[in-house]
Amino acid sequence: MGKITGLTEIKVHINGLESSTVDLMLDSTFESVQALKEYAVHPAHVAVANTLVRPYTAVRSCLDFEI
């Protein structure tokens, strides 16, 4: 936090259940839907995604929800 306005919490989970079909999960919380939209195109996020995630990812799933 601090680099991307509106991002309030971010966690990476790597220890899923045996029944899981994924290797890791990025769990992030934002102040608003608008903050999520801004995060998606933020240069810091895009740089990490392009260099540390996408080259090593075969399949990606995304779920956004409001509580």
Side-chain angles (χ1 to χ4, degrees):
M1 282 69 57
K3 291 186 179 185
I4 301 178
T5 303
L7 175 62
T8 60
E9 184 176 23
I10 193 162
K11 299 176 190 172
V12 177
H13 301 275
I14 59 170
N15 297 316
L17 300 175
E18 289 183 22
S19 60
S20 178
T21 60
V22 298
D23 296 318
L24 65 89
M25 180 183 92
L26 176 67
D27 182 5
S28 49
T29 304
F30 299 88
E31 292 176 350
S32 65
V33 173
Q34 183 60 36
L36 170 60
K37 291 177 182 179
E38 292 171 7
Y39 166 80
V41 297
H42 192 284
H45 168 246
V46 172
V48 169
N50 285 342
T51 60
L52 300 175
V53 179
R54 288 187 181 103
Y56 308 100
T57 304
V59 177
R60 177 183 174 269
S61 297
C62 182
L63 171 66
D64 299 328
F65 65 94
E66 274 187 279
I67 51 174

